[in-house]
Amino acid sequence: MPDDKIHVYFMPGMAANPSIFKNITLPPEKFEQHLLEWFVPRRGATLSEYAEEMVQHIHHENPVLVGVSFGGLLVQEMARFLEVRKVIVVSSVKHESELPKRMLFAKYTKVHKLLPTGLVNNVELLAKYAFGETVNKRLELYEEYLSIRDKYYIDWSLDQIVNWRQTYRPERLVHIHGEKDAVFPISNILDCIPVKNGTHTMIIHRAKWFNERLPTIILK
């Protein structure tokens, strides 16, 4: 029996696990959802090499790749190694010119290497790195979503973000971005679908928006 469903693979952001997508539901008669997970990179791996390894977890032809934040950078790199129906990046960037000035500053000063990433078991600190938010009443929520606590992975991720150079842009790329994103301010973002009042964590807090619009965005 032929598989006529559209297979959609979801990649979470830095340090996050796939539970950030738990409220994202696409019509099951048309779509099949798949969740990707971070693994600790091998020493010295580039983001491109990591993407090539992650592609081994794609088991369907012509998939849709959805990446959030750092996961958005990764799915763009993954699209170099397979034919895709569409690449959708959420709360992310498409080019190094869209990175905020503080990240460009970090690239040249290496200040990101001085961050206390050894404290990754401190959920408040990890949330600040991964989501750009200060944890207050939602500590348990962040403990659920942020489960990748490996220091090398965090150091590697930060370094890959500030040093990212776009060498390949997928043809069928869609960018969805919140107007109140504190990590990647929308003022730096070109050619995106804006989400009113959307923050960097809108994939969690604005699931209804995505459930209503993702099917059309994918099929368009």
Side-chain angles (χ1 to χ4, degrees):
M1 184 175 178
D3 183 2
D4 56 358
K5 289 188 177 182
I6 297 171
H7 294 272
V8 185
Y9 285 79
F10 291 87
M11 186 74 222
M14 186 184 83
N17 60 60
S19 67
I20 69 167
F21 302 112
K22 68 181 182 181
N23 294 319
I24 302 298
T25 306
L26 303 177
E29 65 277 5
K30 186 69 178 177
F31 303 94
E32 187 167 333
Q33 297 176 225
H34 308 273
L35 302 176
L36 297 171
E37 297 189 52
W38 292 103
F39 54 86
V40 178
R42 58 181 173 77
R43 296 278 167 172
T46 65
L47 186 60
S48 178
E49 291 168 339
Y50 189 94
E52 192 170 10
E53 290 187 58
M54 186 63 78
V55 162
Q56 305 308 310
H57 297 276
I58 305 292
H59 303 300
H60 302 90
E61 294 183 359
N62 208 30
V64 174
L65 304 180
V66 180
V68 175
S69 192
F70 183 36
L73 274 63
L74 180 62
V75 295
Q76 290 175 72
E77 295 288 336
M78 290 170 64
R80 298 173 59 190
F81 302 105
L82 75 166
E83 291 290 328
V84 296
R85 180 187 182 105
K86 190 163 286 185
V87 174
I88 300 172
V89 299
V90 179
S91 307
S92 189
V93 296
K94 305 179 294 298
H95 189 270
E96 60 267 22
S97 62
E98 295 183 334
L99 290 170
K101 288 182 179 179
R102 59 188 168 79
M103 291 189 183
L104 296 175
F105 176 77
K107 174 199 170 189
Y108 293 109
T109 63
K110 310 297 182 188
V111 68
H112 61 289
K113 294 183 179 294
L114 302 178
L115 293 171
T117 54
L119 302 176
V120 291
N121 283 319
N122 181 324
V123 176
E124 294 185 31
L125 186 65
L126 190 56
K128 190 68 176 174
Y129 288 166
F131 290 158
E133 293 188 359
T134 300
V135 176
N136 40 50
K137 298 178 181 177
R138 296 183 290 188
L139 185 59
E140 290 184 4
L141 183 74
Y142 287 107
E143 286 179 334
E144 173 188 353
Y145 293 136
L146 297 172
S147 61
I148 317 299
R149 309 286 176 85
D150 183 89
K151 175 176 167 29
Y152 179 75
Y153 163 82
I154 300 295
D155 287 338
W156 176 85
S157 299
L158 292 170
D159 200 51
Q160 297 303 315
I161 293 169
V162 301
N163 288 294
W164 188 55
R165 288 292 169 268
Q166 182 219 53
T167 57
Y168 175 82
R169 178 170 176 173
E171 290 182 10
R172 294 170 289 278
L173 175 66
V174 177
H175 189 168
I176 303 173
H177 210 84
E179 292 182 348
K180 293 186 176 181
D181 193 309
V183 176
F184 301 122
I186 198 169
S187 57
N188 296 330
I189 305 298
L190 299 174
D191 188 24
C192 71
I193 299 172
V195 180
K196 187 176 182 180
N197 296 321
T199 66
H200 196 65
T201 54
M202 64 183 181
I203 194 69
I204 299 170
H205 306 301
R206 299 291 297 279
K208 184 173 182 287
W209 188 99
F210 287 92
N211 291 340
E212 291 173 349
R213 293 167 177 80
L214 268 183
T216 301
I217 290 170
I218 292 170
L219 294 172
K220 188 175 180 181

